[in-house]
Amino acid sequence: MRPSLLDPLFAPAASLPGIGPKNAKLFDRLLGKPEGARVVDVLFHLPYATLDRRARPKIRDAIPDTIVTIEAKVTEHREPPNARSRAPFTVLVEDETGDVELVFFLANHAWVRSRLPVGATRWISGKLERWDGRNQIVHPDRVMDADEFARLPAVEPVYGLTEGLFQRTVARAAEGALKRLPRLPEWIGAETLHLMKLPGFEEALRSMHRPAAPRDVDSAGPAATRLAYDELLANQLALLLVRARMRGLSGRAHVAEGALGRRLETALPFSLTGAQRKAVEEIRADLKAEKRMIRLLQGDVGSGKTIVALIAMVEVVEAGRQAAMMAPTEVLARQHYERMAPLAEGAGLRIALMTGRDKASERRATLAALASREIDIAVGTHALFQESVAFADLGLAVVDEQHRFGVRQRLALASKGEVADLLVMTATPIPRSLVLAYFGDMDVSALREKPPGRQPIDTRAMPIERLQEVAAGLARALANGARAYWICPLVEESETLDVAAAEDRTAHLRALFGDAVGLVHGRMNGPDKDAAMARFQKGETKILVATTVVEVGVDVPEATIMIVEHAERFGLAQLHQLRGRVGRGAGRSSCLLLYKGPLGEAAQARLETLRETEDGFRIAEEDLRLRGEGDVLGARQAGAPGFRFARLEVHGSLLKRAREEAAAALKRSERLTGEENRGLRLLLYLFERNEAARLIEAG
Ligand code: ADP
Ligand code: MG
């Protein structure tokens, strides 16, 4: 249970000053908590910039295009001639060195008159511009009398907002949240604090929300670093606790003679690459050992992970247990099943598919067969790991495209196969720093080598204005028997718009290519999706228009052309994944990245990188480097996925220390008991690593 000391932070945010029944929903949206934001969410919503109002010049000395705060006397009102006029309401103010026009468009005249009466002295703050030799401030941010000025913070925090919320409201709520912060014990070790010169937790939050200088909110500054370190420390503690738990559930040795695996291998139409062979050996060694396997199989798209996993599963079955493979989408689960079924059945194994789409009667039959061990290998979506599914004796769980699953599903999986070995696979090669952050200390096998015979993919970027040329080129390629994917724009947070765009493009392409054009998107029901995929696979359709449902794992070796529309809207890893759909067979493949200009710097760098390299590992590193330079609001507000503060391109170097500190703490006390660990226990709850926190409670 969460210590009551933290209760004030987990009270509803609506209890804070400035948040009333009207704007509580806006805060929920801003803070990404549809179920109701809490005080801690407000506290952790950090400013991403500041407004520096420390410049208090005389008018003559004011620097154009900077924020200035001046003391001046109001000398004249120039009102628009009549109510309907579009002319601004201008107020002239002066000090002994010069004058400034305050310009108000569409102003509330009564407000201007009463705030700036002629003859009064006021403090005015805003961006000064020089226009036609005159000084202007258009819509001053602040108009203050002496009392108000006395309360003006010299440096104001600037928060990310949502429509309908104002800076001042958020700042007020944050101020209220700071006041609710209980006195908390220090959880970072003295040595780390000293070495890294970190401020305290409370001090860090204070200096972010009440910055004294712009660098106080800098993500590389001491305050942000402190908070990022706290988060990484909580995260590493949680990972180590979960891992200790998984390892502690002593693994079992899966002892197989290897005959089935060999039979499977000889049935393959190809021989394994050196990298595949090595991965298989590493996995075999883990399976044989008493300790529980927790291994990540990293390999670029098309590097042949599936067969490695299948060999591992077959091994476990030969040792007398069951194996399961979980994929993130229906399409992918089905494809795995269809691929593996002939091979597995050829080796005398019983394999079944289980997805959320199964009829109740089918599902019941599968469940019974799993429980009675009539099924050796189960392939499915996360439906496989729901409460109601009971395996007779699960020996190995394989998770494909791991990065698409959240922590919760991963934990569900861990508890499902209490003693099952775990193999997770990812097609997005993850830099070491991310592996540590997300998975903790897993063993890693990597397939860096691709199966032989693959040709480089000719990658080009082209403005969408050249669509006609693209269509003509496509027509020629189709005439030569090619097959093509056409990926449609990703519309932020709107599946409906995604679908509309894909339907429009399909109509357009059908006008050119007739029945050769198929469509698959996220809103289609399962059977329709399968049917569309199957037609493309069989070559009945030659162009498959798709939203990003084809992103992961789908394998149609005959497809040699990938066209991505609005490529500038996709992330680097995603584009790399998409491109990986082609270049799988022997034919020469190409990838066309259609963009709508003008391109931002980051988008340009992404397309550039893709043209330069196909090495997924390099692309992953580049992705990490570039992500910090995305659009200011989007990227600066949010940390890496799953993190609030930590941004690995900035704070990645803290990770190692956080890991060591977490490990040392758990070594001293594996349940973090005792007064000296009170801070760390609080930290887990503060950062809501609740699943992990539960592991240190009695039981
Ligand atoms: P991914 O790593 O992206 O999951 P897959 O396992 O889907 O890749 O494999 C991609 C393609 O490569 C499949 O068609 C598979 O049959 C083929 N493949 C896998 N291993 C080899 C190999 N050693 N030689 C030739 N083709 C292979
Ligand atoms: Mg795959």
Side-chain angles (χ1 to χ4, degrees):
M1 259 216 341
R2 184 173 56 226
S4 56
L5 181 63
L6 296 178
D7 287 350
L9 295 180
F10 287 88
S15 64
L16 289 169
I19 310 187
K22 271 211 205 111
N23 60 6
K25 280 269 164 297
L26 295 176
F27 271 91
D28 294 348
R29 180 176 332 141
L30 173 68
L31 302 171
K33 296 281 169 206
E35 69 283 5
R38 293 107 8 120
V39 173
V40 68
D41 300 312
V42 175
L43 199 59
F44 284 178
H45 182 62
L46 302 176
Y48 67 87
T50 54
L51 285 176
D52 187 350
R53 299 197 192 281
R54 287 176 300 179
R56 310 273 161 82
K58 288 291 170 202
I59 291 173
R60 184 185 50 208
D61 305 326
I63 300 168
D65 300 316
T66 64
I67 295 176
V68 296
T69 304
I70 52 171
E71 185 182 28
K73 196 166 150 193
V74 181
T75 54
E76 189 184 337
H77 284 185
R78 292 184 201 140
E79 304 201 16
N82 59 55
R84 239 174 287 142
S85 163
R86 283 164 169 265
F89 189 146
T90 303
V91 176
L92 206 66
V93 302
E94 62 173 38
D95 68 7
E96 63 279 15
T97 67
D99 54 25
V100 178
E101 293 173 5
L102 309 180
V103 182
F104 299 89
F105 290 95
L106 301 172
N108 173 345
H109 293 187
W111 181 86
V112 176
R113 282 186 211 107
S114 75
R115 290 299 290 169
L116 291 156
V118 173
T121 296
R122 290 285 180 264
W123 283 90
I124 294 132
S125 190
K127 188 160 145 208
L128 184 107
E129 287 160 311
R130 190 140 305 147
W131 183 253
D132 209 8
R134 291 170 317 192
N135 292 318
Q136 290 194 335
I137 297 179
V138 179
H139 293 256
D141 305 329
R142 296 271 195 284
V143 174
M144 299 160 285
D145 60 24
D147 284 350
E148 288 161 337
F149 172 68
R151 290 194 301 269
L152 176 77
V155 176
E156 276 177 54
V158 180
Y159 294 95
L161 296 178
T162 192
E163 199 177 326
L165 276 184
F166 300 99
Q167 289 297 343
R168 262 180 267 192
T169 324
V170 177
R172 204 163 149 226
E175 190 52 40
L178 273 179
K179 297 210 171 85
R180 303 273 181 91
L181 193 63
R183 176 110 326 134
L184 298 169
E186 181 55 76
W187 43 73
I188 298 183
E191 199 198 341
T192 304
L193 280 179
H194 176 72
L195 213 77
M196 298 177 37
K197 300 193 176 51
L198 295 176
F201 175 71
E202 182 176 343
E203 193 189 335
L205 284 170
R206 265 179 219 293
S207 79
M208 294 289 280
H209 289 294
R210 295 177 193 156
R215 83 186 129 69
D216 287 344
V217 307
D218 185 349
S219 63
T225 303
R226 158 80 206 210
L227 297 174
Y229 188 82
D230 287 338
E231 183 169 44
L232 291 170
L233 183 59
N235 185 54
Q236 289 300 319
L237 273 176
L239 286 169
L240 288 176
L241 282 165
V242 169
R243 178 181 130 106
R245 160 101 179 151
M246 281 161 73
R247 293 250 197 248
L249 299 164
S250 67
R252 299 177 296 174
H254 306 289
V255 185
E257 193 263 322
L260 272 183
R262 278 196 297 278
R263 197 173 340 150
L264 180 81
E265 256 184 74
T266 46
L268 291 175
F270 47 76
S271 52
L272 297 182
T273 64
Q276 284 171 319
R277 221 171 276 289
K278 179 154 176 282
V280 166
E281 282 322 309
E282 286 164 350
I283 292 167
R284 277 207 176 114
D286 282 0
L287 291 174
K288 284 206 176 78
E290 289 280 348
K291 79 171 200 203
R292 186 176 195 180
M293 171 169 80
I294 304 175
R295 183 172 286 276
L296 180 67
L297 177 59
Q298 289 201 90
D300 212 344
V301 256
S303 59
K305 294 182 293 294
T306 317
I307 191 68
V308 173
L310 182 59
I311 294 173
M313 293 198 287
V314 164
E315 191 91 358
V316 166
V317 172
E318 193 186 342
R321 306 205 164 93
Q322 293 165 301
M325 180 190 265
M326 173 163 80
T329 64
E330 297 266 355
V331 170
L332 198 54
R334 195 162 295 268
Q335 178 183 293
H336 277 318
Y337 173 74
E338 278 158 11
R339 279 289 160 69
M340 296 195 296
L343 289 168
E345 280 159 7
L349 306 186
R350 296 156 298 181
I351 180 168
L353 174 69
M354 180 162 185
T355 75
R357 239 200 267 159
D358 301 340
K359 290 198 210 77
S361 58
E362 285 169 357
R363 186 178 157 81
R364 234 174 293 129
T366 313
L367 284 176
L370 280 175
S372 64
R373 206 195 286 244
E374 279 158 55
I375 291 173
D376 301 309
I377 296 178
V379 181
T381 56
H382 55 268
L384 259 184
F385 292 100
Q386 275 152 15
E387 296 280 336
S388 54
V389 182
F391 291 84
D393 187 3
L394 184 65
L396 171 65
V398 180
V399 185
D400 195 16
E401 310 297 351
Q402 161 75 28
H403 62 289
R404 304 265 293 209
F405 290 103
V407 177
R408 188 144 302 141
Q409 280 139 324
R410 225 179 295 148
L411 283 167
L413 177 88
S415 65
K416 172 65 59 187
E418 280 279 300
V419 287
D421 280 352
L422 184 62
L423 179 66
V424 299
M425 309 200 286
T426 170
T428 308
I430 307 175
R432 185 71 196 155
S433 58
L434 279 180
V435 172
L436 279 178
Y438 288 116
F439 308 115
D441 192 8
M442 283 182 136
D443 298 310
V444 178
S445 297
L447 302 180
R448 269 180 175 255
E449 172 191 2
K450 290 211 177 153
R454 299 276 164 82
Q455 300 192 34
I457 300 167
D458 180 21
T459 303
R460 272 182 264 177
M462 224 184 249
I464 185 88
E465 285 75 19
R466 288 168 65 185
L467 193 66
Q468 280 202 325
E469 255 171 81
V470 174
L474 194 53
R476 282 193 298 276
L478 292 195
N480 289 326
R483 259 178 261 173
Y485 292 103
W486 190 299
I487 308 299
C488 271
L490 180 79
V491 181
E492 197 90 1
E493 283 159 28
S494 168
E495 211 183 17
T496 320
L497 287 179
D498 267 9
V499 169
E503 280 169 348
D504 284 354
R505 181 56 69 209
T506 306
H508 170 235
L509 290 171
R510 280 201 179 128
L512 298 171
F513 301 106
D515 287 346
V517 184
L519 168 67
V520 57
H521 61 66
R523 280 282 173 84
M524 281 161 76
N525 67 28
D528 287 352
K529 237 188 264 180
D530 291 348
M533 288 301 309
R535 277 198 300 277
F536 184 63
Q537 225 146 12
K538 282 187 240 152
E540 290 166 20
T541 51
K542 307 280 186 199
I543 303 176
L544 184 64
V545 180
T547 53
T548 38
V549 283
V550 298
E551 183 195 336
V552 242
V554 175
D555 191 22
V556 180
E558 297 84 359
T560 54
I561 301 173
M562 168 62 64
I563 297 172
V564 184
E565 204 175 319
H566 275 301
E568 79 281 0
R569 294 187 191 166
F570 292 84
L572 193 47
Q574 217 176 3
L575 287 171
H576 177 60
Q577 288 274 324
L578 286 169
R579 178 171 60 181
R581 302 300 107 220
V582 298
R584 304 197 139 212
R588 192 158 173 79
S589 293
S590 58
C591 174
L592 267 186
L593 305 169
L594 298 179
Y595 63 83
K596 178 115 186 75
L599 286 179
E601 224 170 280
Q604 198 162 349
R606 286 198 295 271
L607 300 187
E608 204 55 40
T609 303
L610 276 167
R611 279 180 26 207
E612 270 168 26
T613 183
E614 278 180 53
D615 178 350
F617 286 83
R618 229 200 94 192
I619 288 176
E621 301 279 358
E622 196 65 11
D623 194 22
L624 192 62
R625 199 181 64 72
L626 285 174
R627 221 165 327 163
E629 300 166 15
D631 86 81
V632 173
L633 273 190
R636 278 216 201 144
Q637 271 183 48
F643 290 94
R644 291 174 111 135
F645 302 137
R647 288 171 45 197
L648 294 171
E649 78 279 9
V650 181
H651 304 120
S653 59
L654 305 178
L655 204 59
K656 189 159 164 281
R657 180 142 207 121
R659 264 182 60 65
E660 285 165 4
E661 196 160 347
L666 289 169
K667 201 164 163 207
R668 283 195 307 270
S669 163
E670 52 180 30
R671 285 236 164 116
L672 297 176
T673 49
E675 185 53 29
E676 71 279 13
N677 290 316
R678 198 165 76 97
L680 288 172
R681 294 198 297 272
L682 285 164
L683 179 70
L684 279 176
Y685 285 103
L686 188 59
F687 281 91
E688 298 180 79
R689 299 307 199 258
N690 295 349
E691 282 94 352
R694 226 163 281 137
L695 297 177
I696 55 174
E697 288 172 356

